[in-house]
């Protein structure tokens, strides 16, 4: 496993720095760290962090000894990857930054395909939601890197991610390098930024490792008690997987610690090659690690597989930080997550959560609409959406005069279903003021409001009851998920660390939108308070503006 980690690649990318930021540049405040490293662990719930925290010995142990908020919140209801990453470095909620979901429906889009991917530019001709043109066009916000480069042109802004949408949402518009997984390697959408040697070498190393089969990992004592198999379908058993894969199996590669190892290795190599943090102006390096998400989706969060992933992630992060230490750069780290996750309901029931279940397949909007239509004098597909729960749109084919009646009937029927907590219409949601105050006390409709943009969100938002998985029928790679307004999907750790920082362990509920203003204060970057939704966290030891 570790042969694709940092230690392995560092030797390969021993090239001398090709660039530093300009000699005459200055930090925005003398004590500013010269490098901000912002790490997102995709699907790292606070529940997982709490469970494994006593067992971490590597990078996660170190970061948890800084200012550690165990009750961080992706406060909104649409707990998906794109909205989650959009909050981390913008200080804005999905409702105000526009990233309300991974995909939404725009029935007026000027192309045949009306599905819009969050990190695409659908105006590019030939682009579709599947074969899309990667772009930050939908993000109505500036990231930390965007803001920093506007006042400190010598600063560099570099994003590396397991997914394009993560790298786009953390990096923003003005990036020097942006690399993410595409095909079986790392690719970029930037035309003129060149291909650093780090990328070529990392892709070569990935290809070499992928060409070999991977034997099963030996389970450590901590993981052994979790080895219990769950047969979810005749072809799908989870719970005791040990990450072995055949040569060339890239899906198997992504749902294993190998993927995070490769992503971190690329980030470390780019930091070295670009000499990030070695000039005077502060640089920003954002990293999104996707393997925890793929492991969670494929196997759930309570089995052997996630145990192996958590322990490997901790080791890989430790190696990554050690690499930064060796560079002598004065850096600060923040680590959080884009959302949490829910385990497979089958295992949750065994843990005593009796109501845990898979959703009725009939709740899927297309199916639901087909049954509803004849009952209300309609025909055809009257409802559209992406999976069970979340945004639902009334199809364009329904005449305008009849849309209110269709919406009323859909709301009523959904709300009457025993697995549905509530169904909210656009008008009901927009009547709710943008939430403020303690984030752990928000009502469900307040959570929905925080990720609702009336120009992009659905006509109706359906919220399933707690512990109802929207995956009606599990399939390979997709047994468990996230996306609900419940705390297992919203609550995430937020860890700030800088060399010499004193340990602060906080139970205070804070939000991921507080990260950007806190980092801005740390590096002396002025942020107009009315341009963001979050607030600076003084407990991190920074001078928050008054
Ligand atoms: Zn995610």
């Amino acid at each position: 496993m570790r042969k694709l980690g940092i230690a392995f690649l560092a030797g390969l990318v021993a090239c001398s720095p090709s660039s530093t930021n300009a000699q005459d540049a200055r930090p925005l405040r003398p004590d500013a760290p010269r490098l901000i490293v912002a790490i997102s662990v995709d699907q790292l719930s606070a529940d997982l962090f709490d469970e494994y925290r006593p067992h971490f010995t590597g990078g996660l142990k170190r970061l948890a000894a800084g200012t550690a908020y165990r009750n961080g919140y992706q406060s909104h209801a649409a707990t998906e990857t794109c909205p989650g990453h959009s909050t981390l470095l913008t200080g804005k909620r999905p409702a105000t930054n526009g990233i309300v979901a991974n995909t939404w429906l725009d029935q007026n889009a000027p192309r045949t395909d009306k599905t819009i991917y969050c990190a695409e530019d659908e105006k590019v001709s030939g682009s579709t939601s599947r074969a899309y043109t990667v772009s930050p066009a939908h993000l109505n916000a500036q990231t930390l890197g965007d803001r920093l480069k506007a006042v400190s042109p010598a600063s560099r802004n570099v994003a590396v991610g397991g997914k394009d949408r993560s790298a786009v949402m953390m990096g923003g518009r003005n990036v020097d390098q942006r690399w993410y997984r595409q095909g079986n390697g790392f690719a970029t959408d930037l035309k003129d930024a060149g291909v650093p040697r780090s990328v070529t070498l990392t892709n070569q190393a990935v290809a070499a490792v992928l060409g070999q089969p991977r034997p099963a990992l030996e389970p450590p004592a901590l993981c052994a008690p979790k080895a219990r198999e769950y047969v979810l379908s005749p072809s799908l058993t989870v719970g005791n997987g040990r990450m072995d894969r055949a040569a060339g199996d890239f899906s198997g590669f992504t749902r294993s610690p190998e993927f995070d190892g490769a992503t971190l290795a690329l980030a470390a190599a780019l930091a070295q090659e670009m000499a990030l943090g070695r000039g005077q102006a502060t640089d920003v390096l954002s990293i999104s690690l996707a393997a925890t998400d793929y492991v969670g989706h494929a196997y759930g969060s309570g089995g052997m597989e996630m145990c192996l992933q958590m322990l490997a992630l901790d080791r890989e992060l430790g190696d990554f930080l050690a690499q930064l230490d060796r560079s002598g750069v004065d850096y600060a780290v923040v680590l959080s997550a884009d959302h949490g996750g829910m385990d497979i309901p089958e295992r949750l029931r065994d843990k005593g959560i009796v109501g845990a279940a898979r959703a009725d397949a009939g709740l899927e909007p297309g199916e639901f609409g087909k049954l509803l239509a004849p009952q209300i004098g309609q025909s055809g597909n009257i409802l559209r959406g992406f999976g069970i729960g979340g945004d639902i749109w009334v199809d364009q084919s329904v005449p305008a005069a009849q849309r209110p009646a269709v919406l009323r009937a859909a709301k009523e029927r959904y709300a009457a279903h025993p697995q549905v907590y509530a169904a909210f219409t656009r008008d009901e949601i927009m009547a709710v003021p943008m939430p403020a105050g303690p984030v752990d006390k928000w009502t469900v409709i307040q959570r929905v409001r925080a990720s609702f943009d009336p120009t992009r969100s659905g006509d109706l938002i359906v919220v399933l009851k707690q512990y109802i998985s929207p995956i009606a029928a599990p399939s390979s790679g997709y047994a468990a998920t996230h996306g609900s307004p419940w705390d297992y999907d919203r609550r995430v750790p937020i860890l700030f660390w800088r060399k010499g920082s004193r340990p602060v362990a906080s139970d205070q509920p804070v939000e991921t939108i507080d990260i950007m203003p806190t980092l801005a204060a740390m590096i002396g970057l002025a942020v107009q308070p009315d341009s963001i939704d979050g607030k600076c966290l003084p407990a991190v030891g920074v001078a928050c503006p008054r």
Side-chain angles (χ1 to χ4, degrees):
M1 190 67 59
R2 297 185 94 190
K3 69 184 172 181
L4 197 65
I6 306 303
F8 173 69
L9 267 173
L12 287 180
V13 192
C15 47
S16 51
S18 62
S19 57
T20 57
N21 62 40
Q23 295 295 320
D24 58 346
R26 292 279 174 274
L28 297 178
R29 49 182 297 155
D31 61 351
R34 299 305 195 263
L35 178 62
I36 296 288
V37 181
I39 302 171
S40 164
V41 178
D42 202 314
Q43 207 185 127
L44 180 65
S45 66
D47 294 329
L48 268 180
F49 178 72
D50 288 344
E51 178 185 353
Y52 286 96
R53 187 173 184 172
H55 309 288
F56 291 138
T57 58
L60 284 164
K61 180 182 183 182
R62 191 205 291 200
L63 299 180
T67 306
Y69 292 99
R70 57 182 288 271
N71 293 315
Y73 282 84
Q74 289 279 3
S75 45
H76 52 272
T79 49
E80 295 184 333
T81 296
C82 219
H85 280 94
S86 79
T87 69
L88 292 172
L89 293 180
T90 65
K92 293 179 78 172
R93 309 183 193 296
T96 57
N97 74 32
I99 306 300
V100 296
N102 283 349
T103 50
W104 57 84
L105 195 66
D106 179 358
Q107 301 190 76
N108 299 314
R111 68 178 184 192
T112 344
D113 178 12
K114 305 300 182 192
T115 297
I116 308 293
Y117 177 57
C118 61
E120 73 158 322
D121 183 355
E122 69 274 18
K123 293 185 182 69
V124 175
S125 94
S127 178
T128 70
S129 60
R130 289 192 170 272
Y132 48 79
T133 302
V134 172
S135 164
H138 294 302
L139 179 62
N140 302 328
Q142 287 184 297
T143 62
L144 180 76
D146 289 334
R147 288 172 180 268
L148 177 60
K149 284 177 73 75
V151 296
S152 169
S155 294
R156 273 87 52 81
N157 181 22
V158 173
V160 178
K163 300 177 183 173
D164 53 26
R165 55 186 177 275
S166 320
V168 165
M169 296 304 151
M170 290 184 86
R173 283 187 167 68
N174 194 354
V175 287
D176 295 86
Q177 293 285 340
R178 167 161 57 220
W179 293 90
Y180 43 81
R181 202 279 306 170
Q182 197 176 78
N184 286 4
F186 291 92
T188 188
D189 55 297
L190 303 179
K191 302 277 186 292
D192 306 318
V195 179
R197 188 162 171 259
S198 308
V199 177
T200 309
L201 291 173
T202 304
N203 282 340
Q204 285 170 0
V206 168
V209 168
L210 187 61
Q212 300 294 320
R214 184 180 59 210
L217 298 178
E218 269 314 306
L222 173 69
C223 300
K226 293 176 183 289
R228 174 166 174 202
E229 291 189 340
Y230 286 85
V231 180
L232 303 183
S233 82
S235 60
L236 184 62
T237 299
V238 303
N240 192 23
R242 287 165 52 192
M243 309 266 177
D244 46 317
R245 63 154 175 79
D249 174 10
F250 194 74
S251 295
F253 180 91
T254 58
R255 41 181 189 253
S256 84
E258 285 181 321
F259 192 30
D260 288 346
T263 309
L264 283 167
L266 175 56
L270 277 172
Q272 186 184 347
E273 184 175 352
M274 298 178 72
L276 297 180
R278 294 198 211 182
Q280 283 299 303
T282 299
D283 295 323
V284 177
L285 172 61
S286 52
I287 305 167
S288 178
L289 301 173
T292 302
D293 187 62
Y294 291 131
V295 169
H297 282 304
Y299 313 111
S301 54
M304 166 70 80
E305 301 92 344
M306 187 59 87
C307 188
L308 292 170
Q309 166 61 17
M310 285 293 105
L311 299 180
L313 172 68
D314 177 46
R315 283 195 303 269
E316 292 291 354
L317 282 168
D319 288 352
F320 172 75
L321 297 176
Q323 178 86 353
L324 287 180
D325 293 341
R326 278 194 290 276
S327 74
V329 167
D330 177 10
Y331 66 97
V333 181
V334 63
L335 182 143
S336 189
D338 57 340
H339 51 74
M342 178 188 146
D343 196 7
I344 54 169
E346 294 80 4
R347 191 161 38 215
L348 288 173
R349 283 198 297 273
D350 284 349
K351 289 180 176 170
I353 300 174
V354 289
R358 295 192 177 275
D360 169 2
L363 287 169
E364 192 279 318
E367 294 300 312
F368 200 82
K370 253 184 260 169
L371 278 180
L372 179 63
Q375 300 170 28
I376 57 171
Q378 300 286 328
S379 62
N381 297 321
I382 57 171
L383 299 179
R384 297 180 65 177
F386 304 97
I388 296 171
D391 298 81
I392 291 175
W393 290 264
V394 175
D395 192 83
Q396 221 173 13
S397 63
V398 175
Q402 292 165 34
R403 294 169 68 85
V406 168
L407 199 55
R408 259 197 316 275
K411 172 185 162 69
E412 195 178 291
R413 300 297 170 87
Y414 264 113
H417 191 283
Q419 290 185 320
V420 171
Y421 173 83
F424 303 112
T425 63
R426 169 185 313 236
D427 289 348
E428 289 171 328
I429 297 161
M430 289 308 290
V432 173
M434 197 62 81
V439 60
D440 54 330
K441 305 286 195 298
W442 290 5
T443 62
V444 169
I445 198 168
Q446 284 182 307
R447 302 171 195 190
V448 170
R449 179 67 189 89
S451 48
F452 195 88
D453 176 338
T455 69
R456 291 180 183 168
S457 300
D459 300 316
L460 190 68
I461 302 279
V462 170
V463 178
L464 299 178
K465 286 182 179 168
Q466 269 197 83
Y467 295 111
I468 302 298
S469 169
I471 303 177
S475 56
S476 174
Y478 197 55
T481 194
H482 48 82
S484 83
W486 304 114
D487 280 356
Y488 49 77
D489 282 343
R490 294 171 90 209
R491 200 172 69 91
V492 295
I494 302 178
L495 314 176
F496 291 91
W497 181 91
R498 189 178 178 186
K499 194 174 177 181
S501 59
R502 67 190 173 91
V504 178
S506 178
D507 289 340
Q508 186 199 342
V510 295
E511 297 182 59
T512 53
I513 54 173
D514 301 334
I515 292 172
M516 196 282 277
T518 304
L519 294 176
M522 188 186 287
I523 62 176
L525 175 67
V527 173
Q528 285 298 110
D530 61 358
S531 71
I532 57 169
D533 302 316
K535 58 189 183 310
C536 177
L537 301 170
V540 175
V542 301
C544 291
R546 290 201 282 173

